[in-house]
Amino acid sequence: MADTHCRADGPDTKDPGCDALECPATEANTEAGTPVIWKEAPKAITNPGWTDWIPVTGPTCLYAAQPENVLANIAARILNDFQQLPINPGTLQAQPFPHTLKGAPTNFYTTTGEQDFNLTILGQAVHLTATPANYTYAFGDGTTLGPTPAAGYPIPETEWLNTQTRTSHSYTETGNYQATLTTSFTGTYSVNNGPPLPINGTLNLTTPAQTIQVWKTQRALVADTCQENPNSWGCPGAKSG
């Protein structure tokens, strides 16, 4: 319930913050809000008295006649508000990068994580949490991995090209490939420091593409090292063609 008399403890004890709280209209041609204190009482009590109602917030603004209408209206729009949040999709990382080898495992992983936001919705303080739930890797060669709960992880350089992780991929042809990662976020929200409630829906965000250059290796017997002959086969000064 919302105590419109802003009683902090007993029926005659008013929170002084209510007298100082202003609740101007949030939109044109709408009414100003009312200072209230939100309280809760055990559901097991049929007709709770004032001693059963415990304050769960400090003074806040109420913009509807019935508290349950405010919560219902927030619940009706919370998915849209959630999907408008500036959630960081993170970045797609690859090892090795930007060059990898044909036929060798290339390790992919992401850096995104849980993110928190504080908004004012219909005059109420709303806290939202966005949590990455699963990931879909698109490797740019027509193959994908996911949705999977595996975010991947970095591995030591000594393990590149010879260690297969849960999120690794091996390219079968040379070329340049545009790899991306789509993360599906789930969310929760709480109103006026209330309990977290699930948001019925998800938000899918795709990272900017990373260009993966897939090369192949060749072997040959040469007479000199690159220090001895910079123009030798396979050396930086060698002519191509």
Side-chain angles (χ1 to χ4, degrees):
M1 65 169 287
D3 187 343
T4 56
H5 298 288
C6 275
R7 292 170 293 198
D9 294 304
D12 301 320
T13 304
K14 187 175 183 180
D15 192 307
C18 288
D19 292 328
L21 182 63
E22 296 183 1
C23 299
T26 57
E27 299 178 1
N29 301 319
T30 60
E31 296 183 357
T34 302
V36 299
I37 289 180
W38 287 85
K39 296 182 176 181
E40 64 180 8
K43 290 184 178 180
I45 302 177
T46 304
N47 295 306
W50 69 264
T51 57
D52 300 313
W53 290 98
I54 305 301
V56 292
T57 73
T60 187
C61 293
L62 176 66
Y63 284 89
Q66 297 296 328
E68 60 270 18
N69 290 344
V70 175
L71 298 179
N73 290 339
I74 291 177
R77 58 173 283 179
I78 195 64
L79 177 59
N80 180 69
D81 287 282
F82 174 66
Q83 293 176 336
Q84 302 304 314
L85 292 175
I87 298 174
N88 184 357
T91 58
L92 176 63
Q93 304 288 335
Q95 295 174 313
F97 179 84
H99 312 119
T100 189
L101 293 181
K102 171 185 173 181
T106 302
N107 180 48
F108 289 89
Y109 64 97
T110 182
T111 59
T112 191
E114 186 175 277
Q115 300 167 55
D116 295 293
F117 302 88
N118 292 306
L119 304 178
T120 299
I121 302 177
L122 301 179
Q124 310 305 309
V126 180
H127 179 80
L128 296 100
T129 299
T131 303
N134 55 62
Y135 311 89
T136 300
Y137 297 81
F139 300 112
D141 60 352
T143 61
T144 60
L145 171 65
T148 172
Y153 53 87
I155 59 177
E157 185 173 354
T158 54
E159 298 180 13
W160 296 359
L161 302 175
N162 57 29
T163 299
Q164 185 83 29
T165 68
R166 291 179 59 187
T167 54
S168 290
H169 177 65
S170 296
Y171 291 92
T172 59
E173 299 293 338
T174 59
N176 295 334
Y177 299 94
Q178 300 299 308
T180 60
L181 173 71
T182 299
T183 302
S184 180
F185 289 87
T186 59
T188 60
Y189 73 103
S190 62
V191 180
N192 296 324
N193 297 317
L197 304 171
I199 297 175
N200 186 23
T202 59
L203 173 61
N204 297 323
L205 295 176
T206 301
T207 63
Q210 296 278 27
T211 301
I212 308 298
Q213 301 178 22
V214 181
W215 293 358
K216 64 180 180 180
T217 59
Q218 291 181 318
R219 294 183 180 182
L221 294 175
V222 295
D224 305 311
T225 66
C226 289
Q227 289 180 334
E228 295 170 336
N229 183 5
N231 297 321
S232 180
W233 185 93
C235 296
K239 295 182 180 180
S240 60

